[in-house]
Amino acid sequence: MHSAMDNSSDTQERLYKMLEKLQSLAREIPPKYQQRLPYDLLSSLAHVLLDNTVFEIVRELAELQHMTEKSLHQQRTQLMHKHKTDREALIKSQKDEIQAAECQGKTHVASRLPRLHQEQITQLDARHAQEISTMHVRILQLLDQKVTEQQSTLQQVGVPGFHETENPVEIKIQMYIMDFIVKIGGIKIP
């Protein structure tokens, strides 16, 4: 019986310390967000954090997000490199075309090529800009999807303040809660 009471008082002590840490972290955020983190929410969060499961889930979510961001960055870099290579190849072929026309004595053709070549470069640049724009939209959609998945996961494991939302203020609050979890758990974000 004595051991059960020690365990209970140890749990209460851990809960109290966890709540103190959360309240201290909450005081560090801007006042307009502090009011959205009432005592009840912080207390519920402290209870959830007594079990290390949430820390592990947040660590795994951070790793997944890092891998996703790294992959998206690589895809964007590859596209930018392809665009640079395409442009260089076009310019080289245009120079070769002018040189061939001049060597064949077709000066009337060579004199019209710069305008045609500029149109080709303009069209290529426009196509590249559209591809980049399309990629940026795709990246934003994928990142939004990741946020929704994270919100859903954290809601399912009972982390207070988490639910699927696109409301920027609510997302900011969730980011603060996530930051609290990262700091308290000593989680290293890649």
Side-chain angles (χ1 to χ4, degrees):
M1 178 79 179
H2 188 64
S3 176
M5 285 186 63
D6 285 347
N7 192 20
S8 175
S9 89
D10 181 50
T11 300
Q12 278 301 114
E13 183 65 22
R14 286 179 47 233
L15 179 62
Y16 180 73
K17 286 182 180 180
M18 185 74 69
L19 183 55
E20 277 186 334
K21 287 178 191 174
L22 289 168
Q23 287 173 321
S24 174
L25 289 169
R27 282 190 291 272
E28 295 174 9
I29 67 173
K32 72 178 185 175
Y33 297 112
Q34 286 180 22
Q35 64 191 9
R36 294 181 174 266
L37 293 170
Y39 176 84
D40 290 347
L41 187 141
L42 295 176
S43 179
S44 296
L45 182 57
H47 277 277
V48 169
L49 295 180
L50 286 178
D51 174 7
N52 288 332
T53 305
V54 172
F55 295 120
E56 189 60 30
I57 290 169
V58 167
R59 187 187 60 73
E60 289 175 16
L61 289 174
E63 286 177 9
L64 283 171
Q65 181 168 336
H66 176 71
M67 290 186 324
T68 299
E69 289 171 358
K70 186 175 180 180
S71 171
L72 292 171
H73 177 71
Q74 287 173 335
Q75 290 173 32
R76 186 180 186 283
T77 300
Q78 288 171 348
L79 182 62
M80 298 293 284
H81 179 71
K82 179 187 175 299
H83 287 176
K84 181 181 177 193
T85 304
D86 289 352
R87 196 170 204 282
E88 289 170 352
L90 177 61
I91 291 171
K92 183 184 180 321
S93 74
Q94 289 174 341
K95 285 181 181 177
D96 292 347
E97 190 176 20
I98 290 172
Q99 203 170 30
E102 289 172 347
C103 287
Q104 295 171 1
K106 298 180 179 179
T107 55
H108 64 286
V109 172
S111 67
R112 288 188 298 216
L113 287 176
R115 189 170 49 82
L116 173 65
H117 289 169
Q118 186 55 50
E119 288 175 18
Q120 291 173 337
I121 289 172
T122 301
Q123 289 171 354
L124 181 69
D125 289 345
R127 190 182 90 228
H128 286 172
Q130 181 57 48
E131 288 175 4
I132 288 292
S133 178
T134 299
M135 174 169 262
H136 287 169
V137 167
R138 194 177 122 262
I139 287 171
L140 289 174
Q141 289 170 338
L142 284 169
L143 292 175
D144 284 347
Q145 180 183 347
K146 280 286 169 209
V147 167
T148 301
E149 289 170 9
Q150 291 172 355
Q151 290 170 335
S152 176
T153 299
L154 292 170
Q155 179 184 21
Q156 289 173 17
V157 296
V159 179
F162 277 88
H163 57 279
E164 291 182 25
T165 182
E166 294 179 4
N167 179 316
V169 173
E170 290 179 6
I171 290 173
K172 188 72 174 171
I173 294 296
Q174 291 176 346
M175 289 171 64
Y176 282 124
I177 294 170
M178 183 79 86
D179 188 49
F180 296 169
I181 294 169
V182 166
K183 286 178 179 175
I184 290 174
I187 299 169
K188 303 288 183 237
I189 302 295

